[in-house]
Amino acid sequence: MALEGFDLQTFAQALSVPTQEALEMLPRLQKQPVAWQFAFDLLKSSNYNCRFFGAHTLQTKIARDWDSLDEERQEALQKELVRLVAEQCDAPMNVLNKINQALATYALRTVPESWSNFLPSVIDGIQSSALALGKSSVSAAHAV
């Protein structure tokens, strides 16, 4: 799938409904390197369907394209996933569940080899992210 002339904003709008065409195109887009960034862009949307598809894309990329990330980007992704749990703690359950599935998929790739303190790290990270975002740490902790 070539991305020349492909408008990610228009595609995101199509996912907000979501249209059949957008749902058929999503798996092809998820195979592209740009999907890493596109997933985070969707998670910033005010539309909950877009957020769900953003989290779904992250989970898919972690599961299928893990090897495309160098160690530095893998570590940054870890921090971002933990932050997303806190950030999205008040989102609908389908969005939050999908973010947690992406985090679990990440953990399957890294625990215990490179993330030996998984549980304490996630709990501490969610609490500190919730505080930084002005969210209740109790609400954020229940998001996991």
Side-chain angles (χ1 to χ4, degrees):
M1 171 181 164
L3 292 177
E4 296 94 29
F6 184 75
D7 183 1
L8 292 175
Q9 187 66 28
T10 301
F11 183 68
Q13 289 172 341
L15 280 176
S16 69
V17 175
T19 67
Q20 185 63 34
E21 181 182 6
L23 292 175
E24 290 171 0
M25 187 175 283
L26 184 62
R28 293 186 303 234
L29 178 62
Q30 289 172 335
K31 294 177 183 175
Q32 303 300 315
V34 71
W36 287 107
Q37 183 57 49
F38 182 59
F40 288 106
D41 292 343
L42 286 174
L43 281 160
K44 294 175 188 170
S45 173
S46 60
N47 182 281
Y48 290 127
N49 284 331
C50 286
R51 289 189 205 178
F52 172 83
F53 289 118
H56 175 69
T57 298
L58 274 180
Q59 181 189 14
T60 299
K61 293 297 283 180
I62 293 166
R64 296 182 185 160
D65 294 331
W66 178 254
D67 294 334
S68 71
L69 297 177
D70 60 30
E71 190 174 320
E72 183 178 320
R73 289 178 63 204
Q74 289 173 3
E75 289 175 18
L77 180 59
Q78 172 188 323
K79 291 179 177 93
E80 188 64 19
L81 288 167
V82 171
R83 188 195 64 75
L84 280 170
V85 173
E87 178 184 89
Q88 301 289 333
C89 69
D90 52 1
M93 282 307 268
N94 69 331
V95 173
L96 193 53
N97 285 342
K98 193 51 84 168
I99 292 169
N100 282 324
Q101 289 171 4
L103 180 60
T105 303
Y106 181 97
L108 288 172
R109 294 274 188 185
T110 59
V111 173
E113 293 81 15
S114 58
W115 199 4
S116 59
N117 63 340
F118 168 72
L119 198 50
S121 175
V122 168
I123 292 168
D124 291 345
I126 290 171
Q127 288 177 337
S128 62
S129 292
L131 182 63
L133 294 165
K135 304 233 180 193
S136 163
S137 60
V138 173
S139 296
H142 286 194
V144 179

